[in-house]
Amino acid sequence: MASISAAVQFTTKTSYVLPSQKFMIPLDWKRYQLSQLINKALSLEKPVPFDFLVRGAILRTSLGECRAENGISEEDTLEIEYFESILPPQRVTTLPHEDWVSSISCRISKHFLTASYDGHIRLFNYAQEPVRDISAHQAPITSVCVVPHSELTDESVLIASASHDLTASLTRVSLVPDASPSSQTLASLHLHTSPLSSVASDHTGSHLLTASWDHLIGVWDTTIPTQDEVAPTSDPASSSDRKKRRKIANEADQERAKRKGPTTVLKSHTARVSKAAFLPGSNKRAYSCGFDSTVRSWDVALGACVDTITVPERPMLDLAISPDGHTVLASSTDRTVSIFDLRSPSLTSTVGLLMHPATPSCLVYPSAPTHTRADATSESTNPSQVLTGAYDGIVRIWDLRSLKGAVASVHAWEAPKKILSVDWVGEVVGVGGEGGMEVWRVGQGERMLQVA
C-alpha cells in the first residue's frame, strides 16, 4: 500500500540552498530520508548529513508523527528548515595533569592552553607535547584567557590569568622553541580582597574584566606601566578614590612585574561574582552573573549597572554571550542553563531553559579559528549552537532552536569527576576538569578536523 504524502517547503540559512518549490514527501519519512533527498536534489559529490527543524523543534520522528504532535492538518504545507548535522564528537587525545584543570583555551593556533589548581599555566602543541610550564600564581588558578594584541607576533602570545591568590596576571609567552626567556610576567593586577573567579578580554585586547568572590568586577587596561601603580603595602579595595592611584618611584629592577590598579570598579552584585564578559565586538558593554541569582548588564564607560535580571534561588556559575550579541546564557546550581534575549525591552525573565541531570558548570559558544593579533579577522559562527560541561562528566552540544534535548553528548570522564571548563574553536573542543584535559573533535556536515 502506497504511503500517504504531504506538501513540504524547505528553507535553509546554509550555503546548500534548494530552488523554491514544494515537495510531496511520504509521511513515514524521517531525518535520514529527508537528508538523502536534499543531497540528491543538490547533486552533492560528497554526502552532507542534515538535520531538520519543524516549528522550533528538531525532527526526531516521522513527518506524520510530527504533524500530529503539532496539530498540522494534511492540507497545510509543512515548512521545514534544514541545517548541517553536528557529527558525533570523537576523542583525539588526553593531556594528563597532576592537579585539576580549572580553565582551558583552544584559541592559540595549533596549541592548547591550560590553567591548573597547582598554580601553573601550561601550553601544549597539537602533537600533545608540552611546550611551556609556567608557575604563574602561588594559589589555584581559576581562569585563563588569551589576550589579542596588535604588538604581538605569531611567535608570542599574551595570557591573562586569575587566581585564588587575590590577583590576576598578564604573562607574555614565547612560542619559539628554546626561546630565552620562554615567558615573562609583565604585570600583576591588584584590587580584590577575595579569590578571583574569572578573567576575560575584549576583542581588541585593550581591556580586561576580573570577577571575584568579593562582589566586585575590575576593569583594566592592558598597557604595561613603567612604574608600579599600586604600592605593595596598599589596600586598593579599601581606597576611597581608586582613580587617584599612587605612583611608586622607579624601581632598580625594571624586569619585575609591575603592579597595576583598575581603571574602573563595577559595584552592584550582592554576592560572589562568577563571571564577567564583554559584549562581543565591544569594550563599552559587559554582562556578569553571580551567586546573588542575577545577570547584570553594565555600561563600562560609566561604571554603572544598567539592567538586572533576577531569577530567584538560581545561583549562577558561568555566562556566555552569543557571537551576534543577541543572547546571554547563564548556568546555575539548579541544573539548568537559562536563556535571556538581549533584544527584549526588559530583561526580566528567561525565554528558555536547557535542562541537565547534573549541575552545568561551564558553557561556551563555538568560535571560528582565531589569531592572537588584535587586527586579525575571524569568521562568523553559528549563534544557535552552544556547548555545556557538567558535574556528571558529560559534554553536551545544544541547538538553541530546539530545547528538548542535546543534539550530541560525550562522556569526558565518568562521574564523580567534574568538568570545570570547556572551549570550542572551529572543530576543536577542549574539556578541562578533575580528569585533566580532553581534546575532542566535532564536525558539521562533511567537515572534520584533523589533529596531528
Side-chain angles (χ1 to χ4, degrees), residues 320-368:
I321 309 170
S322 63
D324 59 14
H326 294 163
T327 307
V328 164
L329 303 181
S331 63
S332 58
T333 57
D334 69 346
R335 301 183 178 182
T336 66
V337 172
S338 301
I339 305 171
F340 304 97
D341 188 348
L342 300 182
R343 296 166 294 183
S344 173
S346 178
L347 305 179
T348 57
S349 62
T350 60
V351 296
L353 294 173
L354 304 180
M355 306 299 295
H356 291 67
T359 300
S361 56
C362 48
L363 66 160
V364 67
Y365 279 94
S367 65

mmCIF file of all heavy atoms in Angstrom, residues 320-368:
data_model
loop_
_atom_site.group_PDB
_atom_site.id
_atom_site.type_symbol
_atom_site.label_atom_id
_atom_site.label_comp_id
_atom_site.label_asym_id
_atom_site.label_seq_id
_atom_site.Cartn_x
_atom_site.Cartn_y
_atom_site.Cartn_z
ATOM 1 N N ALA A 320 27.732 33.024 29.081
ATOM 2 C CA ALA A 320 28.242 33.118 27.714
ATOM 3 C C ALA A 320 27.313 34.011 26.913
ATOM 4 O O ALA A 320 26.095 33.970 27.077
ATOM 5 C CB ALA A 320 28.335 31.731 27.070
ATOM 6 N N ILE A 321 27.909 34.834 26.042
ATOM 7 C CA ILE A 321 27.163 35.753 25.196
ATOM 8 C C ILE A 321 27.292 35.278 23.756
ATOM 9 O O ILE A 321 28.390 34.951 23.298
ATOM 10 C CB ILE A 321 27.684 37.192 25.333
ATOM 11 C CG1 ILE A 321 27.773 37.590 26.812
ATOM 12 C CG2 ILE A 321 26.804 38.165 24.574
ATOM 13 C CD1 ILE A 321 28.503 38.891 27.054
ATOM 14 N N SER A 322 26.178 35.228 23.038
ATOM 15 C CA SER A 322 26.204 34.720 21.666
ATOM 16 C C SER A 322 27.066 35.611 20.778
ATOM 17 O O SER A 322 27.205 36.812 21.026
ATOM 18 C CB SER A 322 24.788 34.636 21.102
ATOM 19 O OG SER A 322 24.199 35.920 21.032
ATOM 20 N N PRO A 323 27.654 35.044 19.724
ATOM 21 C CA PRO A 323 28.516 35.836 18.830
ATOM 22 C C PRO A 323 27.811 37.042 18.220
ATOM 23 O O PRO A 323 28.453 38.059 17.960
ATOM 24 C CB PRO A 323 28.925 34.826 17.755
ATOM 25 C CG PRO A 323 28.798 33.494 18.408
ATOM 26 C CD PRO A 323 27.643 33.618 19.357
ATOM 27 N N ASP A 324 26.493 36.941 17.989
ATOM 28 C CA ASP A 324 25.769 38.076 17.424
ATOM 29 C C ASP A 324 25.314 39.068 18.490
ATOM 30 O O ASP A 324 24.720 40.107 18.168
ATOM 31 C CB ASP A 324 24.567 37.599 16.597
ATOM 32 C CG ASP A 324 23.572 36.767 17.415
ATOM 33 O OD1 ASP A 324 23.660 36.766 18.664
ATOM 34 O OD2 ASP A 324 22.721 36.102 16.804
ATOM 35 N N GLY A 325 25.596 38.779 19.760
ATOM 36 C CA GLY A 325 25.255 39.692 20.839
ATOM 37 C C GLY A 325 23.788 39.758 21.187
ATOM 38 O O GLY A 325 23.361 40.646 21.923
ATOM 39 N N HIS A 326 23.000 38.792 20.722
ATOM 40 C CA HIS A 326 21.556 38.828 20.955
ATOM 41 C C HIS A 326 21.111 38.027 22.179
ATOM 42 O O HIS A 326 20.005 38.238 22.679
ATOM 43 C CB HIS A 326 20.808 38.291 19.733
ATOM 44 C CG HIS A 326 20.949 39.163 18.525
ATOM 45 N ND1 HIS A 326 20.663 38.725 17.247
ATOM 46 C CD2 HIS A 326 21.357 40.456 18.398
ATOM 47 C CE1 HIS A 326 20.884 39.711 16.389
ATOM 48 N NE2 HIS A 326 21.301 40.766 17.066
ATOM 49 N N THR A 327 21.947 37.110 22.635
ATOM 50 C CA THR A 327 21.510 36.174 23.674
ATOM 51 C C THR A 327 22.581 36.009 24.742
ATOM 52 O O THR A 327 23.776 35.982 24.438
ATOM 53 C CB THR A 327 21.213 34.791 23.052
ATOM 54 O OG1 THR A 327 20.294 34.949 21.966
ATOM 55 C CG2 THR A 327 20.616 33.844 24.082
ATOM 56 N N VAL A 328 22.146 35.908 25.986
ATOM 57 C CA VAL A 328 23.022 35.557 27.105
ATOM 58 C C VAL A 328 22.548 34.236 27.688
ATOM 59 O O VAL A 328 21.336 34.044 27.910
ATOM 60 C CB VAL A 328 23.024 36.645 28.191
ATOM 61 C CG1 VAL A 328 23.619 36.101 29.493
ATOM 62 C CG2 VAL A 328 23.836 37.851 27.756
ATOM 63 N N LEU A 329 23.490 33.333 27.924
ATOM 64 C CA LEU A 329 23.199 32.076 28.609
ATOM 65 C C LEU A 329 23.895 32.096 29.961
ATOM 66 O O LEU A 329 25.024 32.562 30.077
ATOM 67 C CB LEU A 329 23.704 30.882 27.797
ATOM 68 C CG LEU A 329 23.193 30.725 26.359
ATOM 69 C CD1 LEU A 329 23.792 29.466 25.744
ATOM 70 C CD2 LEU A 329 21.683 30.673 26.325
ATOM 71 N N ALA A 330 23.231 31.569 30.975
ATOM 72 C CA ALA A 330 23.824 31.501 32.312
ATOM 73 C C ALA A 330 23.520 30.143 32.928
ATOM 74 O O ALA A 330 22.355 29.732 32.992
ATOM 75 C CB ALA A 330 23.288 32.620 33.203
ATOM 76 N N SER A 331 24.575 29.442 33.353
ATOM 77 C CA SER A 331 24.390 28.152 34.011
ATOM 78 C C SER A 331 24.255 28.365 35.504
ATOM 79 O O SER A 331 24.815 29.311 36.070
ATOM 80 C CB SER A 331 25.576 27.227 33.720
ATOM 81 O OG SER A 331 26.774 27.765 34.250
ATOM 82 N N SER A 332 23.512 27.469 36.161
ATOM 83 C CA SER A 332 23.247 27.671 37.585
ATOM 84 C C SER A 332 23.218 26.354 38.338
ATOM 85 O O SER A 332 23.193 25.268 37.748
ATOM 86 C CB SER A 332 21.922 28.422 37.785
ATOM 87 O OG SER A 332 20.859 27.719 37.194
ATOM 88 N N THR A 333 23.211 26.476 39.654
ATOM 89 C CA THR A 333 23.300 25.305 40.518
ATOM 90 C C THR A 333 22.016 24.480 40.547
ATOM 91 O O THR A 333 22.008 23.391 41.118
ATOM 92 C CB THR A 333 23.643 25.730 41.955
ATOM 93 O OG1 THR A 333 22.645 26.657 42.416
ATOM 94 C CG2 THR A 333 25.007 26.413 42.009
ATOM 95 N N ASP A 334 20.923 24.990 39.951
ATOM 96 C CA ASP A 334 19.680 24.209 39.923
ATOM 97 C C ASP A 334 19.620 23.277 38.713
ATOM 98 O O ASP A 334 18.554 22.808 38.347
ATOM 99 C CB ASP A 334 18.463 25.142 39.955
ATOM 100 C CG ASP A 334 18.312 25.941 38.669
ATOM 101 O OD1 ASP A 334 19.273 25.984 37.872
ATOM 102 O OD2 ASP A 334 17.239 26.529 38.459
ATOM 103 N N ARG A 335 20.775 23.049 38.085
ATOM 104 C CA ARG A 335 20.936 22.113 36.967
ATOM 105 C C ARG A 335 20.291 22.616 35.679
ATOM 106 O O ARG A 335 19.870 21.832 34.834
ATOM 107 C CB ARG A 335 20.380 20.722 37.323
ATOM 108 C CG ARG A 335 21.035 20.093 38.538
ATOM 109 C CD ARG A 335 20.493 18.703 38.802
ATOM 110 N NE ARG A 335 21.162 18.084 39.952
ATOM 111 C CZ ARG A 335 20.918 16.856 40.390
ATOM 112 N NH1 ARG A 335 20.003 16.112 39.772
ATOM 113 N NH2 ARG A 335 21.563 16.363 41.429
ATOM 114 N N THR A 336 20.245 23.917 35.517
ATOM 115 C CA THR A 336 19.696 24.494 34.297
ATOM 116 C C THR A 336 20.675 25.493 33.691
ATOM 117 O O THR A 336 21.570 26.007 34.373
ATOM 118 C CB THR A 336 18.359 25.216 34.544
ATOM 119 O OG1 THR A 336 18.607 26.368 35.375
ATOM 120 C CG2 THR A 336 17.348 24.312 35.209
ATOM 121 N N VAL A 337 20.474 25.761 32.409
ATOM 122 C CA VAL A 337 21.083 26.900 31.733
ATOM 123 C C VAL A 337 19.942 27.800 31.290
ATOM 124 O O VAL A 337 19.053 27.379 30.544
ATOM 125 C CB VAL A 337 21.935 26.468 30.524
ATOM 126 C CG1 VAL A 337 22.394 27.689 29.731
ATOM 127 C CG2 VAL A 337 23.145 25.651 30.976
ATOM 128 N N SER A 338 19.932 29.034 31.787
ATOM 129 C CA SER A 338 18.877 29.999 31.453
ATOM 130 C C SER A 338 19.251 30.752 30.191
ATOM 131 O O SER A 338 20.419 31.103 29.977
ATOM 132 C CB SER A 338 18.674 30.990 32.600
ATOM 133 O OG SER A 338 18.325 30.325 33.796
ATOM 134 N N ILE A 339 18.250 31.020 29.350
ATOM 135 C CA ILE A 339 18.444 31.734 28.094
ATOM 136 C C ILE A 339 17.742 33.081 28.202
ATOM 137 O O ILE A 339 16.551 33.152 28.499
ATOM 138 C CB ILE A 339 17.876 30.931 26.913
ATOM 139 C CG1 ILE A 339 18.480 29.522 26.891
ATOM 140 C CG2 ILE A 339 18.139 31.657 25.595
ATOM 141 C CD1 ILE A 339 17.805 28.606 25.883
ATOM 142 N N PHE A 340 18.486 34.168 27.942
ATOM 143 C CA PHE A 340 17.946 35.521 28.008
ATOM 144 C C PHE A 340 18.111 36.195 26.646
ATOM 145 O O PHE A 340 19.199 36.178 26.073
ATOM 146 C CB PHE A 340 18.662 36.348 29.081
ATOM 147 C CG PHE A 340 18.632 35.735 30.452
ATOM 148 C CD1 PHE A 340 19.706 34.993 30.913
ATOM 149 C CD2 PHE A 340 17.541 35.903 31.278
ATOM 150 C CE1 PHE A 340 19.700 34.424 32.176
ATOM 151 C CE2 PHE A 340 17.509 35.338 32.545
ATOM 152 C CZ PHE A 340 18.592 34.592 32.997
ATOM 153 N N ASP A 341 17.053 36.793 26.148
ATOM 154 C CA ASP A 341 17.072 37.508 24.873
ATOM 155 C C ASP A 341 17.401 38.978 25.138
ATOM 156 O O ASP A 341 16.612 39.704 25.740
ATOM 157 C CB ASP A 341 15.719 37.381 24.180
ATOM 158 C CG ASP A 341 15.727 37.938 22.761
ATOM 159 O OD1 ASP A 341 16.710 38.616 22.385
ATOM 160 O OD2 ASP A 341 14.752 37.698 22.021
ATOM 161 N N LEU A 342 18.579 39.415 24.685
ATOM 162 C CA LEU A 342 19.009 40.789 24.932
ATOM 163 C C LEU A 342 18.232 41.799 24.099
ATOM 164 O O LEU A 342 18.311 43.003 24.360
ATOM 165 C CB LEU A 342 20.506 40.921 24.645
ATOM 166 C CG LEU A 342 21.432 40.031 25.474
ATOM 167 C CD1 LEU A 342 22.880 40.306 25.130
ATOM 168 C CD2 LEU A 342 21.188 40.227 26.960
ATOM 169 N N ARG A 343 17.491 41.354 23.110
ATOM 170 C CA ARG A 343 16.698 42.267 22.289
ATOM 171 C C ARG A 343 15.367 42.608 22.949
ATOM 172 O O ARG A 343 14.654 43.499 22.480
ATOM 173 C CB ARG A 343 16.454 41.652 20.915
ATOM 174 C CG ARG A 343 17.732 41.453 20.101
ATOM 175 C CD ARG A 343 17.513 40.546 18.922
ATOM 176 N NE ARG A 343 17.194 39.176 19.351
ATOM 177 C CZ ARG A 343 17.006 38.162 18.515
ATOM 178 N NH1 ARG A 343 17.114 38.361 17.217
ATOM 179 N NH2 ARG A 343 16.721 36.960 18.973
ATOM 180 N N SER A 344 15.053 41.913 24.021
ATOM 181 C CA SER A 344 13.811 42.199 24.733
ATOM 182 C C SER A 344 13.910 43.559 25.419
ATOM 183 O O SER A 344 14.953 43.910 25.972
ATOM 184 C CB SER A 344 13.543 41.108 25.776
ATOM 185 O OG SER A 344 12.437 41.428 26.578
ATOM 186 N N PRO A 345 12.849 44.359 25.394
ATOM 187 C CA PRO A 345 12.900 45.684 26.041
ATOM 188 C C PRO A 345 13.244 45.609 27.517
ATOM 189 O O PRO A 345 13.891 46.494 28.060
ATOM 190 C CB PRO A 345 11.474 46.232 25.828
ATOM 191 C CG PRO A 345 10.943 45.480 24.663
ATOM 192 C CD PRO A 345 11.559 44.110 24.743
ATOM 193 N N SER A 346 12.800 44.547 28.176
ATOM 194 C CA SER A 346 13.074 44.404 29.604
ATOM 195 C C SER A 346 13.545 42.986 29.877
ATOM 196 O O SER A 346 12.830 42.023 29.620
ATOM 197 C CB SER A 346 11.819 44.701 30.434
ATOM 198 O OG SER A 346 12.087 44.522 31.810
ATOM 199 N N LEU A 347 14.778 42.877 30.368
ATOM 200 C CA LEU A 347 15.346 41.557 30.630
ATOM 201 C C LEU A 347 14.865 41.066 31.991
ATOM 202 O O LEU A 347 15.589 41.096 32.987
ATOM 203 C CB LEU A 347 16.869 41.625 30.588
ATOM 204 C CG LEU A 347 17.477 42.196 29.295
ATOM 205 C CD1 LEU A 347 18.997 42.214 29.406
ATOM 206 C CD2 LEU A 347 17.044 41.393 28.095
ATOM 207 N N THR A 348 13.623 40.633 32.043
ATOM 208 C CA THR A 348 13.026 40.299 33.328
ATOM 209 C C THR A 348 12.918 38.799 33.573
ATOM 210 O O THR A 348 12.743 38.379 34.703
ATOM 211 C CB THR A 348 11.627 40.914 33.440
ATOM 212 O OG1 THR A 348 10.816 40.452 32.328
ATOM 213 C CG2 THR A 348 11.709 42.437 33.395
ATOM 214 N N SER A 349 12.996 37.975 32.522
ATOM 215 C CA SER A 349 12.810 36.545 32.731
ATOM 216 C C SER A 349 13.498 35.764 31.622
ATOM 217 O O SER A 349 13.907 36.326 30.611
ATOM 218 C CB SER A 349 11.314 36.201 32.775
ATOM 219 O OG SER A 349 10.701 36.521 31.544
ATOM 220 N N THR A 350 13.586 34.474 31.827
ATOM 221 C CA THR A 350 14.201 33.615 30.833
ATOM 222 C C THR A 350 13.231 33.362 29.691
ATOM 223 O O THR A 350 12.015 33.382 29.850
ATOM 224 C CB THR A 350 14.591 32.265 31.457
ATOM 225 O OG1 THR A 350 13.407 31.629 31.961
ATOM 226 C CG2 THR A 350 15.586 32.446 32.587
ATOM 227 N N VAL A 351 13.802 33.107 28.507
ATOM 228 C CA VAL A 351 12.978 32.737 27.355
ATOM 229 C C VAL A 351 13.086 31.243 27.075
ATOM 230 O O VAL A 351 12.452 30.734 26.151
ATOM 231 C CB VAL A 351 13.402 33.538 26.101
ATOM 232 C CG1 VAL A 351 13.156 35.008 26.323
ATOM 233 C CG2 VAL A 351 14.865 33.281 25.735
ATOM 234 N N GLY A 352 13.879 30.541 27.882
ATOM 235 C CA GLY A 352 14.012 29.104 27.727
ATOM 236 C C GLY A 352 15.030 28.547 28.692
ATOM 237 O O GLY A 352 15.814 29.292 29.304
ATOM 238 N N LEU A 353 15.019 27.222 28.855
ATOM 239 C CA LEU A 353 15.942 26.537 29.756
ATOM 240 C C LEU A 353 16.527 25.319 29.066
ATOM 241 O O LEU A 353 15.847 24.627 28.308
ATOM 242 C CB LEU A 353 15.223 26.085 31.035
ATOM 243 C CG LEU A 353 14.697 27.151 31.992
ATOM 244 C CD1 LEU A 353 13.873 26.495 33.091
ATOM 245 C CD2 LEU A 353 15.849 27.950 32.598
ATOM 246 N N LEU A 354 17.801 25.064 29.331
ATOM 247 C CA LEU A 354 18.442 23.813 28.938
ATOM 248 C C LEU A 354 18.561 22.970 30.203
ATOM 249 O O LEU A 354 19.330 23.298 31.115
ATOM 250 C CB LEU A 354 19.825 24.068 28.332
ATOM 251 C CG LEU A 354 19.885 25.022 27.120
ATOM 252 C CD1 LEU A 354 21.328 25.175 26.650
ATOM 253 C CD2 LEU A 354 19.002 24.528 25.997
ATOM 254 N N MET A 355 17.797 21.892 30.263
ATOM 255 C CA MET A 355 17.752 21.074 31.463
ATOM 256 C C MET A 355 18.888 20.064 31.457
ATOM 257 O O MET A 355 19.159 19.406 30.444
ATOM 258 C CB MET A 355 16.417 20.341 31.546
ATOM 259 C CG MET A 355 15.198 21.260 31.447
ATOM 260 S SD MET A 355 15.116 22.480 32.777
ATOM 261 C CE MET A 355 14.897 21.396 34.193
ATOM 262 N N HIS A 356 19.564 19.918 32.611
ATOM 263 C CA HIS A 356 20.665 18.980 32.782
ATOM 264 C C HIS A 356 20.384 18.051 33.960
ATOM 265 O O HIS A 356 19.766 18.480 34.945
ATOM 266 C CB HIS A 356 21.981 19.723 33.036
ATOM 267 C CG HIS A 356 22.511 20.478 31.857
ATOM 268 N ND1 HIS A 356 21.875 21.590 31.332
ATOM 269 C CD2 HIS A 356 23.632 20.289 31.097
ATOM 270 C CE1 HIS A 356 22.585 22.056 30.307
ATOM 271 N NE2 HIS A 356 23.631 21.283 30.150
ATOM 272 N N PRO A 357 20.868 16.816 33.914
ATOM 273 C CA PRO A 357 20.708 15.920 35.057
ATOM 274 C C PRO A 357 21.703 16.196 36.176
ATOM 275 O O PRO A 357 21.560 15.676 37.281
ATOM 276 C CB PRO A 357 20.940 14.531 34.453
ATOM 277 C CG PRO A 357 21.824 14.782 33.275
ATOM 278 C CD PRO A 357 21.408 16.119 32.737
ATOM 279 N N ALA A 358 22.730 17.001 35.876
ATOM 280 C CA ALA A 358 23.710 17.404 36.882
ATOM 281 C C ALA A 358 24.037 18.873 36.661
ATOM 282 O O ALA A 358 23.707 19.459 35.620
ATOM 283 C CB ALA A 358 24.982 16.553 36.778
ATOM 284 N N THR A 359 24.676 19.494 37.642
ATOM 285 C CA THR A 359 24.953 20.924 37.564
ATOM 286 C C THR A 359 25.822 21.267 36.368
ATOM 287 O O THR A 359 26.935 20.743 36.229
ATOM 288 C CB THR A 359 25.654 21.398 38.841
ATOM 289 O OG1 THR A 359 24.808 21.143 39.965
ATOM 290 C CG2 THR A 359 25.966 22.890 38.778
ATOM 291 N N PRO A 360 25.368 22.148 35.462
ATOM 292 C CA PRO A 360 26.212 22.606 34.360
ATOM 293 C C PRO A 360 27.169 23.680 34.850
ATOM 294 O O PRO A 360 26.759 24.781 35.210
ATOM 295 C CB PRO A 360 25.200 23.161 33.351
ATOM 296 C CG PRO A 360 24.039 23.603 34.189
ATOM 297 C CD PRO A 360 24.009 22.701 35.396
ATOM 298 N N SER A 361 28.436 23.359 34.872
ATOM 299 C CA SER A 361 29.421 24.254 35.475
ATOM 300 C C SER A 361 29.992 25.268 34.507
ATOM 301 O O SER A 361 30.501 26.313 34.924
ATOM 302 C CB SER A 361 30.575 23.427 36.055
ATOM 303 O OG SER A 361 31.143 22.611 35.041
ATOM 304 N N CYS A 362 29.920 24.992 33.198
ATOM 305 C CA CYS A 362 30.581 25.852 32.230
ATOM 306 C C CYS A 362 29.895 25.732 30.877
ATOM 307 O O CYS A 362 29.248 24.722 30.583
ATOM 308 C CB CYS A 362 32.067 25.491 32.107
ATOM 309 S SG CYS A 362 32.379 23.716 31.924
ATOM 310 N N LEU A 363 30.037 26.753 30.065
ATOM 311 C CA LEU A 363 29.419 26.753 28.746
ATOM 312 C C LEU A 363 30.160 27.705 27.834
ATOM 313 O O LEU A 363 30.841 28.638 28.288
ATOM 314 C CB LEU A 363 27.945 27.129 28.838
ATOM 315 C CG LEU A 363 27.551 28.532 29.293
ATOM 316 C CD1 LEU A 363 26.127 28.846 28.858
ATOM 317 C CD2 LEU A 363 27.626 28.649 30.821
ATOM 318 N N VAL A 364 30.031 27.468 26.503
ATOM 319 C CA VAL A 364 30.729 28.303 25.532
ATOM 320 C C VAL A 364 30.022 28.203 24.193
ATOM 321 O O VAL A 364 29.500 27.152 23.823
ATOM 322 C CB VAL A 364 32.217 27.878 25.413
ATOM 323 C CG1 VAL A 364 32.356 26.488 24.792
ATOM 324 C CG2 VAL A 364 33.017 28.886 24.602
ATOM 325 N N TYR A 365 29.979 29.323 23.489
ATOM 326 C CA TYR A 365 29.557 29.313 22.097
ATOM 327 C C TYR A 365 30.751 28.929 21.224
ATOM 328 O O TYR A 365 31.896 29.242 21.578
ATOM 329 C CB TYR A 365 29.060 30.689 21.668
ATOM 330 C CG TYR A 365 27.637 31.003 22.058
ATOM 331 C CD1 TYR A 365 27.355 31.686 23.237
ATOM 332 C CD2 TYR A 365 26.580 30.637 21.235
ATOM 333 C CE1 TYR A 365 26.046 31.996 23.590
ATOM 334 C CE2 TYR A 365 25.265 30.936 21.577
ATOM 335 C CZ TYR A 365 25.011 31.607 22.750
ATOM 336 O OH TYR A 365 23.725 31.906 23.093
ATOM 337 N N PRO A 366 30.534 28.295 20.081
ATOM 338 C CA PRO A 366 31.664 27.997 19.194
ATOM 339 C C PRO A 366 32.194 29.271 18.574
ATOM 340 O O PRO A 366 31.449 30.222 18.312
ATOM 341 C CB PRO A 366 31.048 27.075 18.132
ATOM 342 C CG PRO A 366 29.602 27.460 18.093
ATOM 343 C CD PRO A 366 29.247 27.828 19.510
ATOM 344 N N SER A 367 33.494 29.311 18.336
ATOM 345 C CA SER A 367 34.102 30.441 17.643
ATOM 346 C C SER A 367 34.933 29.918 16.495
ATOM 347 O O SER A 367 35.407 28.771 16.514
ATOM 348 C CB SER A 367 34.968 31.274 18.593
ATOM 349 O OG SER A 367 36.067 30.519 19.039
ATOM 350 N N ALA A 368 35.106 30.753 15.484
ATOM 351 C CA ALA A 368 35.937 30.384 14.352
ATOM 352 C C ALA A 368 37.397 30.377 14.788
ATOM 353 O O ALA A 368 37.767 31.024 15.776
ATOM 354 C CB ALA A 368 35.726 31.364 13.203
#
